[in-house]
Amino acid sequence: MRAAVFVTLLLPLCCWSYHYKAISTPVAFHACLTTNGNSLGRLHVLPFDRVITDTWEGYIRHRGSYRIPVTGVYVITWVTPVVGNIPLELVINGQQRGRTAPANAKGEGNSQTTTGVAVLFLYRRDVVSIRTHPDFHPVGFIANNKWQDSCLSLWRI
C-alpha cells in the first residue's frame, strides 16, 4: 500500500519536472569535429566530438547523433570545409531532409566550405545527424584546423 502511494505521488512530480524544464530551458546544441574527416565512405555519420553547448544533453557520442528532447520547430545548420568532393546530408531518423555539396565538384586541392540550413518541425526522440551521401563515394577530406571548423548546431525556436 505504501509503495503504491509513493509511486502515485512521484509520477506527477516527474511529469511536472519535465514539463517545467521544457518551458524554462531552451534547446540548444553546438558541436564540432576535432580532427580532419579522412577515409570517409558512403553513409558515414560525422562524429562531432567536441561538444560546446548541449542544454538538454541529447547528444549520443558513439552514434554522432542528437536526440530531440522536446517537440517543436528547430533550426539546424551544419558547416563543413571540404578539400575534394564530399556531398553531405542532414538526416532525421535515417531519412534525408537536407543536402550540401561543394560548388567545385573536382575539388582541385582547395578548401570549399559548404553550409546547410533547415527549419523543421521535429518530434521528441527524433534523431538528427549529418552523413555522407549514399550514392557517391567521398573524394578528399573534411578539413578541421585552426582556421576552419566543421560543426553542427541546432536550436528550438
Side-chain angles (χ1 to χ4, degrees):
M1 177 75 170
R2 282 187 179 171
V5 172
F6 182 70
V7 170
T8 303
L9 290 175
L10 256 184
L11 186 59
L13 291 175
C14 294
C15 296
W16 179 85
S17 173
Y18 170 79
H19 290 292
Y20 177 76
K21 185 174 181 180
I23 293 168
S24 64
T25 304
V27 178
F29 173 74
H30 180 72
C32 301
L33 294 174
T34 57
T35 60
N36 286 340
N38 296 315
S39 303
L40 302 174
R42 292 181 177 103
L43 300 172
H44 182 99
V45 175
L46 300 186
F48 297 98
D49 53 348
R50 182 172 49 121
V51 176
I52 297 165
T53 302
D54 189 357
T55 58
W56 278 74
E57 299 177 1
Y59 193 60
I60 308 163
R61 285 182 183 271
H62 68 277
R63 289 181 56 190
S65 302
Y66 185 84
R67 178 165 286 136
I68 297 297
V70 179
T71 298
V73 177
Y74 286 80
V75 176
I76 304 168
T77 183
W78 63 103
V79 177
T80 50
V82 172
V83 176
N85 187 7
I86 304 177
L88 297 171
E89 297 184 320
L90 166 66
V91 179
I92 310 295
N93 300 329
Q95 300 298 311
Q96 180 267 324
R97 300 287 291 276
R99 287 183 255 217
T100 59
N104 180 354
K106 293 180 184 177
E108 299 177 353
N110 297 321
S111 175
Q112 307 173 75
T113 298
T114 62
T115 301
V117 178
V119 179
L120 301 170
F121 185 88
L122 299 174
Y123 293 95
R124 183 176 181 211
R125 296 187 183 97
D126 280 349
V127 177
V128 178
S129 58
I130 304 297
R131 73 179 182 197
T132 57
H133 196 279
D135 299 329
F136 183 82
H137 187 77
V139 176
F141 63 94
I142 296 175
N144 189 64
N145 53 49
K146 67 181 181 179
W147 298 285
Q148 18 186 26
D149 280 326
S150 299
C151 299
L152 168 65
S153 301
L154 64 81
W155 60 95
R156 184 172 163 239
I157 54 175

